[in-house]
Amino acid sequence: MKVIIDESKCVAAGQCVSAAMDVFDQREEDGIVVVLNENPPAELAEAVREAAAVCPALAIRIKD
């Protein structure tokens, strides 16, 4: 699994961080998403998929 972020789409809602805080964070200055681990382990896959699903801007893509 690889996590890909489109920063230009991110609206800084923070839903991704709520869903998968081990994989996502937000920049302090503007709240834009930051990927902490672009290749998360299998045990975080469900949380990462949830984060992508709840992103209001659809800024998160996942490649398997």
Side-chain angles (χ1 to χ4, degrees):
M1 165 181 279
K2 181 172 180 165
V3 179
I4 302 164
I5 298 297
D6 185 341
E7 286 186 16
S8 68
K9 288 184 176 181
C10 182
V11 296
Q15 298 301 314
C16 56
V17 178
S18 296
M21 67 176 59
D22 292 331
V23 179
F24 302 102
D25 199 356
Q26 291 177 278
R27 293 192 305 225
E28 208 162 298
E29 62 272 10
D30 58 8
I32 298 298
V33 66
V34 175
V35 179
L36 301 174
N37 184 352
E38 69 178 27
N39 296 309
E43 60 266 15
L44 296 177
E46 185 175 333
V48 172
R49 290 184 200 290
E50 174 69 15
V54 299
C55 177
L58 303 175
I60 302 169
R61 283 192 5 221
I62 300 168
K63 281 190 170 184
D64 288 313

